[in-house]
């Protein structure tokens, strides 16, 4: 298919662009295969807009006489408006945008056409390989092994080709366990807590069904992670009620009788459309500036967004607490083990593991616990807060995770190497990007799409020093501690950087940030200067002494 | 020294089910002091008697006789006392100590910081309102400072010196005062020098349904004409219209636009002191909920109406500032008596318009001018003495919160930080200093506060280093502020209303980090110049790279490391029994101590602790499958 077929009117003049924080400006609108481009054709080039079609969540059009207006709502939550003279042009442009922003085929997406304009220093596709991760692990324990059982994605389609499993369990047993777990997602290692050797595993629900099926290999596998005489915790991210209902559909949960060494705890993290509706309501509340205080607070409450944040953080803290405080191993799962499970396992690691609070460590976490673990990004992030289609696969699962990280970052502002902008950048790229990183729903799909060969990795771009400098937190001072966030409602806040980003100018907050950077930078420079002077002085003294000795 | 000493007293943690602290409770003439004996390090909780709002005896529990203390600075302490007799004795003592009857019994009259008489007097002269009027260019062609009220004949709740239009002669002033509730005539609050527009304040007119007063009309005309650039002036009644109308039946009310030339009359619906008192009560109930869900909290926050009221005050301040700056029109503000809402609105507008009021000195001036001098009834509103509880209202707290909300939106525009606000708020209730005693200037003179007590301001200025805002960009960086007053711009102020629940606050404090950077900076700059001075003194050839390398390492390693708040090394601090801990008396005095507290990080998960307790009990109950 040629994009040209979709572009009925490639260009319109005398278009007026309205967007947040800028005065309306007149200029020329161009449509290309992947971008909507607006230029005021001024000398300074300041009045330009490049918008990826894939960033467009929904469009609305309306007419007053022959003046058409297109309202474009983006996945990054921005809303822009184009006034286009001429009804036909406007209709053509609207239908083109609609078609181009909802392309069916992944291979037509921009990452397959994007050519980087920067020098590639490090190939991001090779930055975070499972083998490296395992090497780190095997330097501290020999109880685990790398299994290639899923090499051809033949055992579990949503798992990566290699996974880490207990050494004492062979591939044959794994095959049996896979039969007993939803989508074949058998328990694998998610995190090893060096401090006490406890581990966190994740999986999908066991297929116990209504007649209480059991699987000896499954029991053996997860028991293999327990120390003699020790107990473990199974954190089921669903409420007991939901988990019980799952039995009717062949799913279920681990029965106490078959897993006597494990204590099961149910949390209730919501999924799918409930989360999607929550996001839609929240963004609606944030965008409506006519609210009075009562209405705003009631809308904020009714969106339940912060309730979800609190639930997820609480579950993650619980997992971390079991591992670090109770000295117990943990298995986390919900139904499929691709959404709430990953929220819990990845946040628990941020709490427990200082490495995950560095930039590379966090990237590695996203790669391990989200991309390789098979979070279906393409389905979940197909639409954002302005979607009106009622498809049931969209859900802001990853955004909720990033929001939770932001909440922890806010409570521990000196414990993270990255800043809020880094999280916002990941949010944006998960929904629309020139890079292939977040395409596809799992490693299997990514390998079929040949993303490594045909697209650029987000990490290749981010991990260059020019980009990294934007994402560094000046307050960061590495600490090796477990950081326990407070989950009291008073401690949780609306993430303004994402949800109010386009609704209120951030000039004064940006200036404060700048001021902070300057203070810290100046001190570092001073310290360096003092050190240099001391050294110089010491050198001189030494010289003097040597002369005296002569 | 102690009036009462009770052993075997537990202090419960407000949120967790952790083992309570066990120790001794002492009552002194001024403080309740609790010493935790179970902690490895001696830990003291100090509560000033004047800070105590309520003392309640709760029903007997297995642990003993509970005594619940709510403080005016939102500290909540839950003691359990072994013996009923002891509990009752503490209870009755506290009731008496926390509500003195006579002004002379207040702390300020016994507080003795060992300061010379001269210094004490200099302290009281630190803030001179005349200097502030001079700063505004007053006296000038239009405004004068008059001592017409020197014997409090015009108005006994105004200070002796007030600023009125030159055009308003004594007859006009006296006549107008007879037509204004409690004689509180229109006087100048702030003059915006750039365009001569003024903010003036007064009480409601005694207009009833039809009364009018020529002198009052002349007074408003004089105010309007003192701003020749504008053909009209605003008259703003900060009450809801309905309240103002109801007042007419009592012979009071609001200005009739027909009777005054070229005024634009406007209502701004800020609720009265009773609504505000109830709203705070509801807010505090929300803050004290045990393990509330997000919905409980947000619904409670909404139902309290607290942020709605804060927004109303801010909106009014913004209206005034815009009228003055953008429309170049003068504004006359009043409510009923002109000492609550009027004080809030005028002072918020002043902060928005004038960067001076965002400095340490300026903020002190503002409070002295708009609140203390103009007769905000601190004594009644804060319940300093045993009195009518219906007179108590968090009017000043709301003003302080408005300033905090502005700090959130404009982090580089204030010279001081949040702790400065909290310190002032503490001392408004502490009665340790004379500034906030009584209800008006006359009353303070009568009880001789200037002779017998100390002023707060020099005391605060001594602590400037820890109360400053490291992000402040200086006096000239920002002029007028135009805050966003959409509802989402207002945040719940956890640092005030849950201030003593340390577990809820960020565990690492950016402010402390930056403050330590600032003090580090001074040291480093000294070091650098000292070293630079030393260098040229040494004679001899410049060092060659090769011969001195061995020394480099050791010299560099001697460099002191940044002793930052995020220094995690060393043992974690001893277990804290209560969110409110050693910092009670002097919450900001010891930054390092605070850090250690903040880093008592395993103490802070209320919900999770519940969960773990569940885990524990379930693990213990010995269900058969576990064995």
């Amino acid at each position: 298919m040629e994009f040209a077929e979709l572009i009925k009117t490639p260009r319109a003049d005398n278009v007026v662009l309205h967007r947040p924080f800028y005065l309306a400006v007149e200029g020329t609108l161009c449509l290309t295969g992947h971008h909507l481009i607006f230029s005021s054709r001024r000398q300074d080039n300041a009045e330009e807009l490049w918008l990826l079609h894939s960033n467009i969540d929904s469009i609305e059009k309306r007419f007053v006489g022959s003046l058409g207006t297109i309202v474009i709502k983006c996945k990054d939550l921005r809303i822009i408006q184009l006034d286009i003279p001429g009804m036909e042009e406007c209709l053509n442009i609207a239908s083109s945008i609609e078609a181009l922003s909802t392309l069916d085929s992944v291979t037509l997406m921009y990452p397959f056409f994007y050519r980087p304009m920067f020098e590639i220093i490090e190939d991001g596709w090779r930055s975070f390989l499972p083998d490296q991760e395992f090497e780190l692990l095997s330097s501290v324990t020999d109880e685990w092994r790398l299994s290639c059982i899923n090499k051809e994605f033949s055992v579990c389609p949503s798992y990566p080709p290699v996974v880490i499993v207990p050494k004492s369990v062979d591939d044959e047993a794994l095959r049996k366990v896979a039969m007993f777990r939803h989508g074949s997602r058998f328990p694998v290692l998610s995190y090893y807590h060096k401090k006490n050797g406890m581990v966190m595993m994740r999986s999908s629900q066991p297929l116990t069904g209504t007649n209480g099926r059991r699987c000896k290999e499954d029991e053996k596998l997860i028991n293999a992670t327990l120390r003699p005489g020790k107990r473990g915790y199974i954190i089921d991210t669903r409420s007991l009620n939901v988990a019980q209902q799952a039995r009717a559909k062949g799913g279920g949960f681990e029965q106490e009788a078959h897993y006597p060494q494990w204590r099961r705890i149910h949390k209730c993290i919501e999924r799918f459309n409930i989360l999607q509706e929550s996001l839609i309501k929240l963004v609606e509340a944030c965008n409506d500036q006519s609210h009075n205080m009562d209405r705003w607070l009631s809308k904020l409450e009714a969106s339940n967004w912060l309730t979800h944040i609190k639930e997820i953080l609480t579950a993650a803290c619980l997992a971390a607490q079991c591992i670090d405080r109770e000295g117990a191993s943990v298995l986390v799962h919900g139904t499929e083990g691709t959404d709430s499970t990953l929220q819990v396992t990845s946040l628990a690691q941020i709490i427990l593991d200082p490495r995950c609070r560095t930039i590379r460590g966090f990237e590695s976490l996203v790669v391990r616990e989200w991309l390789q673990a098979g979070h279906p990004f393409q389905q979940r992030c197909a639409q954002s807060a302005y979607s009106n289609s009622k498809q049931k696969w969209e859900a802001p699962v990853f955004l909720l995770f990033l929001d939770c990280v932001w909440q922890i970052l806010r409570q521990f502002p000196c414990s993270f190497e990255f800043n809020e902008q880094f999280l916002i950048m990941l949010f944006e790229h998960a929904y629309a990007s020139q890079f292939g990183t977040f395409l596809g729903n799992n490693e299997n799909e990514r390998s079929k799409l040949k993303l490594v060969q045909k697209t650029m990795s987000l990490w290749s771009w981010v991990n260059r020093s020019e980009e990294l400098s934007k994402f560094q937190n000046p307050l960061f001072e590495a600490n090796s501690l477990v950081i326990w966030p407070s989950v009291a409602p008073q401690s949780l806040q609306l993430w303004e950087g994402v949800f109010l980003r386009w609704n209120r100018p951030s000039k004064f907050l940006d200036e404060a940030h700048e001021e902070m950077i300057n203070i810290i930078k100046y001190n570092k420079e001073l310290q360096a200067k003092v050190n240099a002077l001391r050294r110089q002085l010491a050198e001189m003294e030494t010289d003097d002494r040597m002369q005296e000795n002569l | 020294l102690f009036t009462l000493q009770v052993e075997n007293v537990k202090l419960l943690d407000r949120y967790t089910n952790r083992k309570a602290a066990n120790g001794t409770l002492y009552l002194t003439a001024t403080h309740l002091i609790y010493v935790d004996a179970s902690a490895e390090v001696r830990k003291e909780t100090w509560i000033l008697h004047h800070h105590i709002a309520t003392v309640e005896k709760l029903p007997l529990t297995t642990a003993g006789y509970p005594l619940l203390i709510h403080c005016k600075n939102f500290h909540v302490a839950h003691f359990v006392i072994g013996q009923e007799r002891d509990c009752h004795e503490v209870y009755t003592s506290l009731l008496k100590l926390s509500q003195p009857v006579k002004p002379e019994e207040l702390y300020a009259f016994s507080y003795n910081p060992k300061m010379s008489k001269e210094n004490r007097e200099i302290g009281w002269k630190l803030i001179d309102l005349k200097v502030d009027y001079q700063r505004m260019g007053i006296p000038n062609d239009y405004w004068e400072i008059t001592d017409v009220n020197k014997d409090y004949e015009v108005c006994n709740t105004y200070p002796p010196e007030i600023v009125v239009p030159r055009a308003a002669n004594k007859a006009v002033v006296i006549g107008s005062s007879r037509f204004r509730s409690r004689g509180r005539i229109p006087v100048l609050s702030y003059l915006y020098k750039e365009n001569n527009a003024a903010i003036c304040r007064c009480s409601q007119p005694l207009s009833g349904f039809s009364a009018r007063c020529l002198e009052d009309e002349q007074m408003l005309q004089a105010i309007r004409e003192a701003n020749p650039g504008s053909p009209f002036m605003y008259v703003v009644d900060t009450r809801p219209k309905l309240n103002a109308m109801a007042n007419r039946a009592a012979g009071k009310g609001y200005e009739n636009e027909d009777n005054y030339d070229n005024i634009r009359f406007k209502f701004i619906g800020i609720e009265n002191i009773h609504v505000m008192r109830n709203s705070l009560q509801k807010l505090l109930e929300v803050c004290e909920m045990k393990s509330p869900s997000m919905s409980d909290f947000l619904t409670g926050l909404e139902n309290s109406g607290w942020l709605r009221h804060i927004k109303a005050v801010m909106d009014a301040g913004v209206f005034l500032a815009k009228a003055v700056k953008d429309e170049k029109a003068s504004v006359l503000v009043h409510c009923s008596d002109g000492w609550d809402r009027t004080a809030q609105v005028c002072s918020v507008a002043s902060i928005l318009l004038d960067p001076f009021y965002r400095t340490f000195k300026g903020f002190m001036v503002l409070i002295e001018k708009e609140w203390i001098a103009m007769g905000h009834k601190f004594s009644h509103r804060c319940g300093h003495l045993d009195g009518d509880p219906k007179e108590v209202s968090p009017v000043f707290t709301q003003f302080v919160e408005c300033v905090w909300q502005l700090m959130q939106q404009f982090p580089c525009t204030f010279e001081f930080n949040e702790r400065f606000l909290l310190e002032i708020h503490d001392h408004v209730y502490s009665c340790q200093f004379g500034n906030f005693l009584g209800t008006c200037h006359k009353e303070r003179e009568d009880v001789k506060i200037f002779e017998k007590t100390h002023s707060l301001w020099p005391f605060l200025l001594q602590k400037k280093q820890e109360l400053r805002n490291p992000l402040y960009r200086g006096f000239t960086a920002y002029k007028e502020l135009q805050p966003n007053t959409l509802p989402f711009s207002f945040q719940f102020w956890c640092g005030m209303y849950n201030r003593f629940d340390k577990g809820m606050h960020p565990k690492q404090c950016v402010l402390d980090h930056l403050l330590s950077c600032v003090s580090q900076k001074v040291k480093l700059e000294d070091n650098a110049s000292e070293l630079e001075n030393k260098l040229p003194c040494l004679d001899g050839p410049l060092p060659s790279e090769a011969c001195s390398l061995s020394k480099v390492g050791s010299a560099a390693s001697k460099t002191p490391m940044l002793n930052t708040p995020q220094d995690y090394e060393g043992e974690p601090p001893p277990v804290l029994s209560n969110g409110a801990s050693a910092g009670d008396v002097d919450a900001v005095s010891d930054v390092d101590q605070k850090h250690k507290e903040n880093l008592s990080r395993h103490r802070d998960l209320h919900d999770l602790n519940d969960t773990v307790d569940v885990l524990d009990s379930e693990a213990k109950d010995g269900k058969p499958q576990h064995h």
Side-chain angles (χ1 to χ4, degrees), chain A residues 276-290:
Chain A
Q276 186 67 10
E277 270 164 34
S278 173
L279 174 66
I280 291 170
K281 279 189 195 161
L282 175 69
V283 171
E284 242 171 48
C286 293
N287 286 350
D288 188 340
Q289 313 222 328
S290 68

mmCIF file of all heavy atoms in Angstrom, chain A residues 276-290:
data_model
loop_
_atom_site.group_PDB
_atom_site.id
_atom_site.type_symbol
_atom_site.label_atom_id
_atom_site.label_comp_id
_atom_site.label_asym_id
_atom_site.label_seq_id
_atom_site.Cartn_x
_atom_site.Cartn_y
_atom_site.Cartn_z
ATOM 1 N N GLN A 276 -8.712 1.556 31.910
ATOM 2 C CA GLN A 276 -8.857 2.448 30.771
ATOM 3 C C GLN A 276 -9.901 3.523 31.071
ATOM 4 O O GLN A 276 -9.689 4.702 30.824
ATOM 5 C CB GLN A 276 -9.259 1.629 29.533
ATOM 6 C CG GLN A 276 -9.297 2.407 28.230
ATOM 7 C CD GLN A 276 -7.918 2.874 27.768
ATOM 8 O OE1 GLN A 276 -6.894 2.467 28.319
ATOM 9 N NE2 GLN A 276 -7.900 3.739 26.775
ATOM 10 N N GLU A 277 -11.020 3.104 31.657
ATOM 11 C CA GLU A 277 -12.064 4.070 32.005
ATOM 12 C C GLU A 277 -11.570 5.047 33.062
ATOM 13 O O GLU A 277 -11.908 6.231 33.045
ATOM 14 C CB GLU A 277 -13.306 3.342 32.536
ATOM 15 C CG GLU A 277 -14.276 2.992 31.434
ATOM 16 C CD GLU A 277 -15.290 1.954 31.888
ATOM 17 O OE1 GLU A 277 -15.670 1.983 33.075
ATOM 18 O OE2 GLU A 277 -15.677 1.113 31.050
ATOM 19 N N SER A 278 -10.770 4.528 33.970
ATOM 20 C CA SER A 278 -10.205 5.376 35.013
ATOM 21 C C SER A 278 -9.357 6.480 34.388
ATOM 22 O O SER A 278 -9.474 7.657 34.747
ATOM 23 C CB SER A 278 -9.371 4.506 35.954
ATOM 24 O OG SER A 278 -8.691 5.286 36.866
ATOM 25 N N LEU A 279 -8.531 6.095 33.413
ATOM 26 C CA LEU A 279 -7.682 7.075 32.735
ATOM 27 C C LEU A 279 -8.539 8.102 31.995
ATOM 28 O O LEU A 279 -8.294 9.309 32.073
ATOM 29 C CB LEU A 279 -6.747 6.358 31.752
ATOM 30 C CG LEU A 279 -5.901 7.273 30.860
ATOM 31 C CD1 LEU A 279 -4.897 8.050 31.689
ATOM 32 C CD2 LEU A 279 -5.182 6.478 29.779
ATOM 33 N N ILE A 280 -9.544 7.615 31.297
ATOM 34 C CA ILE A 280 -10.409 8.521 30.530
ATOM 35 C C ILE A 280 -11.073 9.532 31.463
ATOM 36 O O ILE A 280 -11.083 10.736 31.206
ATOM 37 C CB ILE A 280 -11.457 7.705 29.736
ATOM 38 C CG1 ILE A 280 -10.751 6.917 28.623
ATOM 39 C CG2 ILE A 280 -12.542 8.609 29.160
ATOM 40 C CD1 ILE A 280 -11.618 5.899 27.909
ATOM 41 N N LYS A 281 -11.586 9.034 32.584
ATOM 42 C CA LYS A 281 -12.257 9.936 33.536
ATOM 43 C C LYS A 281 -11.280 10.936 34.140
ATOM 44 O O LYS A 281 -11.615 12.103 34.329
ATOM 45 C CB LYS A 281 -12.879 9.113 34.672
ATOM 46 C CG LYS A 281 -14.218 8.491 34.319
ATOM 47 C CD LYS A 281 -14.832 7.901 35.582
ATOM 48 C CE LYS A 281 -15.964 6.963 35.245
ATOM 49 N NZ LYS A 281 -16.260 6.064 36.374
ATOM 50 N N LEU A 282 -10.095 10.462 34.452
ATOM 51 C CA LEU A 282 -9.113 11.360 35.068
ATOM 52 C C LEU A 282 -8.753 12.491 34.116
ATOM 53 O O LEU A 282 -8.735 13.662 34.493
ATOM 54 C CB LEU A 282 -7.848 10.583 35.462
ATOM 55 C CG LEU A 282 -6.718 11.455 36.008
ATOM 56 C CD1 LEU A 282 -7.069 12.023 37.373
ATOM 57 C CD2 LEU A 282 -5.406 10.690 36.077
ATOM 58 N N VAL A 283 -8.483 12.118 32.866
ATOM 59 C CA VAL A 283 -8.058 13.121 31.891
ATOM 60 C C VAL A 283 -9.203 14.088 31.604
ATOM 61 O O VAL A 283 -8.993 15.299 31.457
ATOM 62 C CB VAL A 283 -7.522 12.434 30.621
ATOM 63 C CG1 VAL A 283 -7.274 13.445 29.520
ATOM 64 C CG2 VAL A 283 -6.240 11.681 30.949
ATOM 65 N N GLU A 284 -10.423 13.566 31.570
ATOM 66 C CA GLU A 284 -11.596 14.431 31.411
ATOM 67 C C GLU A 284 -11.652 15.454 32.536
ATOM 68 O O GLU A 284 -11.866 16.647 32.304
ATOM 69 C CB GLU A 284 -12.859 13.558 31.499
ATOM 70 C CG GLU A 284 -13.715 13.558 30.256
ATOM 71 C CD GLU A 284 -14.802 12.500 30.405
ATOM 72 O OE1 GLU A 284 -15.470 12.447 31.470
ATOM 73 O OE2 GLU A 284 -14.948 11.707 29.468
ATOM 74 N N ALA A 285 -11.456 14.979 33.761
ATOM 75 C CA ALA A 285 -11.510 15.873 34.923
ATOM 76 C C ALA A 285 -10.419 16.937 34.842
ATOM 77 O O ALA A 285 -10.658 18.106 35.129
ATOM 78 C CB ALA A 285 -11.370 15.074 36.215
ATOM 79 N N CYS A 286 -9.214 16.510 34.424
ATOM 80 C CA CYS A 286 -8.099 17.460 34.354
ATOM 81 C C CYS A 286 -8.312 18.494 33.254
ATOM 82 O O CYS A 286 -7.850 19.624 33.357
ATOM 83 C CB CYS A 286 -6.784 16.729 34.102
ATOM 84 S SG CYS A 286 -6.269 15.689 35.471
ATOM 85 N N ASN A 287 -8.986 18.093 32.183
ATOM 86 C CA ASN A 287 -9.137 18.993 31.045
ATOM 87 C C ASN A 287 -10.292 19.962 31.186
ATOM 88 O O ASN A 287 -10.358 20.962 30.481
ATOM 89 C CB ASN A 287 -9.321 18.192 29.754
ATOM 90 C CG ASN A 287 -8.018 17.566 29.302
ATOM 91 O OD1 ASN A 287 -6.959 17.878 29.846
ATOM 92 N ND2 ASN A 287 -8.080 16.692 28.324
ATOM 93 N N ASP A 288 -11.234 19.658 32.071
ATOM 94 C CA ASP A 288 -12.394 20.527 32.209
ATOM 95 C C ASP A 288 -12.065 21.645 33.188
ATOM 96 O O ASP A 288 -11.970 21.429 34.390
ATOM 97 C CB ASP A 288 -13.600 19.722 32.708
ATOM 98 C CG ASP A 288 -14.862 20.559 32.668
ATOM 99 O OD1 ASP A 288 -14.732 21.806 32.625
ATOM 100 O OD2 ASP A 288 -15.952 19.986 32.674
ATOM 101 N N GLN A 289 -11.873 22.846 32.658
ATOM 102 C CA GLN A 289 -11.445 23.948 33.514
ATOM 103 C C GLN A 289 -12.632 24.677 34.120
ATOM 104 O O GLN A 289 -12.463 25.689 34.798
ATOM 105 C CB GLN A 289 -10.569 24.896 32.704
ATOM 106 C CG GLN A 289 -9.510 24.143 31.910
ATOM 107 C CD GLN A 289 -8.157 24.805 31.939
ATOM 108 O OE1 GLN A 289 -8.043 26.010 32.010
ATOM 109 N NE2 GLN A 289 -7.112 24.002 31.879
ATOM 110 N N SER A 290 -13.832 24.199 33.883
ATOM 111 C CA SER A 290 -14.990 24.905 34.429
ATOM 112 C C SER A 290 -15.382 24.379 35.801
ATOM 113 O O SER A 290 -16.300 24.887 36.429
ATOM 114 C CB SER A 290 -16.176 24.760 33.471
ATOM 115 O OG SER A 290 -16.601 23.411 33.460
#
